Amino acid sequence: MTQEAAFTATIEKDQRIEPRDWMPDGYRKTMIRQIAQHAHSEIIGMQPEGAWITRAPSLRRKAILLAKVQDEAGHGLYLYSAAETLGADRGDLTRRLIEGRQKYSSIFNYPTLTFADVGVIGWLVDGAAICNQVPLCRSSFGPYARAMIRICKEESFHQRQGYELLMTMMRGTEAQRDMVQDAVNRWWWPSLMMFGPPDAESPNTAQSMAWKIKRHTNDELRQRFVDMSVPQASALGVTLPDPDLRWNPEREHHDFGEIDWSELKRVISGDGPLNAERIEHRRRADEDGEWVRSAAAAHAAKKQGVRG
Amino acid sequence: MSFDDAYQALTDHDDDARWAYGTGFADPLAGVPTALPDGVDHADLAAYCLMIGDDALIMSHRLQQWVTRAPELEDEMAIANIGLDLLGQARLLLTRAGEAEGGGRGEDDLAYLRDPQDFRHVRLAERADADFAHLVARLLVFATWRLALLDRLSASGDPVLAAIGAKGVKEVAYHRDYAAGWVVRLGDGTELSHRRMQAAVDAVWPLIGELFEAHPVELRLVGVAVDPSLLRAEFDGVLAEVLRVATLHAPGPGAGPGPSSAGDSSAGDGSAGDGPVRGRDGFHTDELGEILDEMQGLARATPGGVW
């Protein structure tokens, strides 16, 4: 059997490709890009919520938020490690991020204006991420699939914590309830955009589905997210900002309004509210840390020399 | 409310394996009697809990400010972890302070509704870090001192303080190890890192004297509180060893730790307990005002809010 036939047979049997297995160049490149974008999203995603750690209004919420942002650093760390099993290098991937040559999830280019945003990010953004990521636990690339299992477990914890914060705030003052509704209004549509362009305009989907590194189309996952979120919004007592949102008994799904795809394109292409700030923050941290990493490398080299 | 498919796939098991870290977190106060011990002055006990609780709360705040700015992802994890440990210690200690006080104040009342002059932490905790070397120098000093303190606190006559001390020892041993590792790497790294690490050690040195000045409250709480002047020898030994391995030197006479320190002479010799003891008596720098503006702003701006 040729190497390519063995690869294809492995995929067809729903078994995993491991780092030392032969794989087509296109598969390797696509996996590196997919994993790196996911890792970048975790690291950039620390910023919008990280900004509220020092300002959290109770010590319990502070501890929850700090632990969550720490989890995101951990997700980034093992995703970069998964990419490294394919021959990528973490430092190089970070450079690609800060030079704008690799993308991250556009959702993190929106600002977190109030503490309710922390809850809504947990509920909607992490909820959408879970819908996207649960199928990736069955990705054909072994290290990524295994990383996703752990990540999804933690994301589902974050999602519940976010929802619980919103539930608590909705039982609070009128001002707090307004804060929650305002945050829902601002995050609902960007959350729907997290699933990517409509299937008709998603050129890579077919190949990715064939390689089993993508298991459902963008529109399927988006629909699933809408159907899950509607009863949750109603239990919470908030209104989702879409006048066209209603149950369709024939489809047995919710219909929803047209997404502003021009906004998604604008934010992806770098013109979102905070693209420049997010990258600049990451670039500065990388630059400020350079002397520290050099020192660690120099120290390690000295120790190596001593041990001979 | 139905959690459909995606969530179901993660959460429809009955076992705890669905949580990445399990659910076996031990309550450090499980089974510990929380009644205030006999013969202890409640106001003194409350004041003491605030002292070592505020140390942890304010130090944690400074660590939180590093999140998303660390030099490497492993350090993001470590710094957040240390910040979380100290925040956890602060919550237990502020809660105990509220219990001892007997006025119904909880951890959030104490953290969010006190003014700067009512905070009781040492000034080491509030100092901003100019760079990563300053952070690890300050953390080394803080953790070395606190580890010695918590170790003795685990034998406190107050069972709650003893339990908090025992829990904290395991945590702060790691904090000290983490900081010492970086002080050594930076001290014995490149020429640039050596210079910066030495500058950071020099900058933190004048703040050390205060850590060992016994406060009257600490001296009155015999068998309950720890007399910090007894921690000096252990602290000096650890610092000397770390600095030696890091190829750094302790700042010269007049600034260094040790009983002959002239740099801290204005604070008295630390043994009488009646000199001006700075942070412990509510004397702070302007930096605390900035910290509290950030930490307390939202909580104070939403009266009646529930979080």
Side-chain angles (χ1 to χ4, degrees):
Chain A
M1 201 190 298
T2 66
Q3 287 176 314
E4 179 141 24
F7 171 83
T8 307
T10 303
I11 300 265
E12 277 169 4
K13 279 186 283 183
D14 242 345
Q15 291 174 341
R16 301 284 163 267
I17 303 297
E18 294 300 333
R20 290 180 186 172
D21 295 345
W22 184 91
M23 62 190 83
D25 282 349
Y27 179 90
R28 184 183 299 273
K29 273 189 199 141
T30 304
M31 277 320 304
I32 290 176
R33 194 184 66 227
Q34 185 181 357
I35 298 173
Q37 284 185 7
H38 188 171
H40 297 332
S41 301
E42 297 284 357
I43 299 307
I44 296 291
M46 293 168 69
Q47 292 181 35
E49 291 175 284
W52 283 97
I53 294 171
T54 56
R55 298 182 283 161
S58 78
L59 296 185
R60 176 168 169 265
R61 292 297 171 193
K62 186 188 289 282
I64 289 171
L65 187 56
L66 181 51
K68 177 184 175 181
V69 173
Q70 183 193 31
D71 283 349
E72 287 162 356
H75 296 174
L77 191 55
Y78 39 83
L79 287 167
Y80 283 124
S81 301
E84 287 187 325
T85 68
L86 290 162
D89 170 78
R90 197 208 301 184
D92 175 58
L93 295 176
T94 299
R95 271 189 299 282
R96 286 169 189 264
L97 168 67
I98 59 191
E99 287 167 8
R101 290 188 286 139
Q102 277 182 340
K103 306 279 189 205
Y104 56 90
S105 178
S106 290
I107 193 80
F108 301 119
N109 291 320
Y110 292 88
T112 41
L113 301 181
T114 72
F115 198 72
D117 290 38
V118 169
V120 171
I121 287 177
W123 173 37
L124 294 179
V125 175
D126 293 338
I130 291 169
C131 286
N132 266 330
Q133 292 170 4
V134 166
L136 298 177
C137 297
R138 295 191 293 128
S139 164
S140 63
F141 186 58
Y144 189 47
R146 289 187 288 273
M148 290 316 303
I149 291 170
R150 186 187 175 101
I151 288 172
C152 284
K153 286 179 178 183
E154 293 181 356
E155 292 290 354
S156 90
F157 199 72
H158 299 163
Q159 201 261 356
R160 284 155 178 247
Q161 287 175 321
Y163 194 72
E164 192 260 337
L165 167 60
L166 298 178
M167 277 288 194
T168 305
M169 289 182 69
M170 291 300 284
R171 287 195 298 266
T173 64
E174 193 62 36
Q176 286 186 296
R177 279 188 288 278
D178 290 347
M179 217 185 261
V180 173
Q181 182 63 57
D182 171 65
V184 169
N185 292 348
R186 284 182 288 108
W187 287 95
W188 173 249
W189 289 105
S191 299
L192 293 188
M193 294 177 200
M194 284 176 69
F195 297 92
D199 293 346
E201 294 167 36
S202 180
N204 298 323
T205 293
Q207 177 63 79
S208 291
M209 302 262 289
W211 275 336
K212 296 190 181 173
I213 56 181
K214 188 166 179 171
R215 296 283 186 158
H216 304 281
T217 70
N218 295 351
D219 287 334
E220 283 168 11
L221 292 168
R222 191 169 8 247
Q223 181 70 60
R224 183 176 297 185
F225 174 71
V226 171
D227 289 342
M228 277 188 335
S229 299
V230 169
Q232 293 174 5
S234 136
L236 194 55
V238 295
T239 308
L240 295 173
D242 178 359
D244 298 325
L245 184 65
R246 65 179 57 85
W247 177 250
N248 180 332
E250 282 163 38
R251 290 203 306 126
E252 299 203 322
H253 287 296
H254 291 86
D255 291 337
F256 53 97
E258 185 64 24
I259 291 170
D260 179 359
W261 296 114
S262 63
E263 175 176 330
L264 178 65
K265 279 191 189 125
R266 209 163 52 239
V267 179
I268 287 180
S269 66
D271 198 18
L274 290 176
N275 296 54
E277 285 85 345
R278 297 291 187 234
I279 290 294
E280 172 57 16
H281 184 97
R282 186 73 195 91
R283 191 197 60 73
R284 202 166 49 238
D286 190 66
E287 189 178 288
D288 289 349
E290 174 54 34
W291 70 276
V292 176
R293 294 190 298 274
S294 301
H299 180 76
K302 284 184 199 180
K303 293 292 118 182
Q304 195 106 38
V306 169
R307 287 186 196 121
Chain B
M1 171 187 4
S2 79
F3 280 83
D4 194 17
D5 34 45
Y7 300 104
Q8 214 72 53
L10 286 166
T11 58
D12 63 354
H13 312 290
D14 289 329
D15 65 310
D16 288 339
R18 67 183 187 273
W19 304 120
Y21 296 109
T23 54
F25 300 108
D27 176 359
L29 299 184
V32 175
T34 55
L36 299 174
D38 290 337
V40 171
D41 184 275
H42 294 180
D44 277 350
L45 180 60
Y48 183 62
C49 291
L50 282 184
M51 290 175 183
I52 57 177
D54 287 345
D55 288 339
L57 181 67
I58 300 301
M59 186 70 185
S60 175
H61 187 90
R62 284 297 186 206
L63 289 156
Q64 292 157 32
Q65 291 177 325
W66 274 93
V67 172
T68 74
R69 299 198 295 124
E72 193 55 282
L73 283 182
E74 285 81 352
D75 300 294
E76 290 285 3
M77 306 279 289
I79 291 167
N81 199 57
I82 295 168
L84 265 173
D85 285 343
L86 292 174
L87 179 57
Q89 292 176 19
R91 294 181 64 191
L92 293 169
L93 287 162
L94 295 190
T95 299
R96 188 59 169 167
E99 287 166 2
E101 202 179 62
R105 289 202 287 182
E107 58 176 33
D108 287 336
D109 300 306
L110 290 167
Y112 291 98
L113 301 177
R114 277 182 298 154
D115 292 329
Q117 67 274 14
D118 297 324
F119 276 76
R120 290 290 178 266
H121 57 277
V122 293
R123 287 195 282 191
L124 172 72
E126 74 195 37
R127 170 73 64 90
D129 304 303
D131 63 20
F132 189 71
H134 282 74
L135 170 67
V136 294
R138 212 163 53 83
L139 186 60
L140 176 67
V141 167
F142 185 85
T144 303
W145 168 67
R146 192 169 180 85
L147 179 59
L149 191 157
L150 293 177
D151 188 38
R152 284 161 182 77
L153 194 66
S154 62
S156 169
D158 177 8
V160 172
L161 282 180
I164 294 170
K167 174 178 187 280
V169 161
K170 289 178 233 155
E171 297 168 343
V172 179
Y174 165 70
H175 307 174
R176 188 179 76 169
D177 188 56
Y178 173 79
W182 270 115
V183 169
V184 168
R185 264 176 239 125
L186 296 180
D188 187 23
T190 62
E191 204 177 311
L192 173 67
S193 73
H194 178 85
R195 203 165 61 236
R196 288 185 175 173
M197 196 62 245
Q198 185 64 57
V201 168
D202 293 350
V204 77
W205 220 251
L207 297 169
I208 291 176
E210 181 185 353
L211 306 181
F212 302 98
E213 290 166 7
H215 189 277
V217 164
E218 291 168 318
L219 295 177
R220 284 199 298 269
L221 286 170
V222 177
V224 170
V226 175
D227 174 354
S229 64
L230 304 177
L231 311 174
R232 191 69 196 240
E234 179 180 334
F235 176 90
D236 285 349
V238 172
L239 262 281
E241 179 61 11
V242 174
L243 293 183
R244 186 188 66 76
V245 176
T247 71
L248 298 164
H249 58 81
S260 62
S261 165
D264 292 304
S265 59
S266 63
D269 65 7
S271 57
D274 55 3
V277 289
R278 305 173 173 185
R280 291 283 190 243
D281 281 326
F283 294 102
H284 299 288
T285 63
D286 291 345
E287 289 186 315
L288 180 62
E290 291 161 21
I291 289 173
L292 296 186
D293 283 349
E294 186 178 31
M295 183 170 88
Q296 300 178 332
L298 173 58
R300 289 188 180 218
T302 44
V306 288
W307 308 98

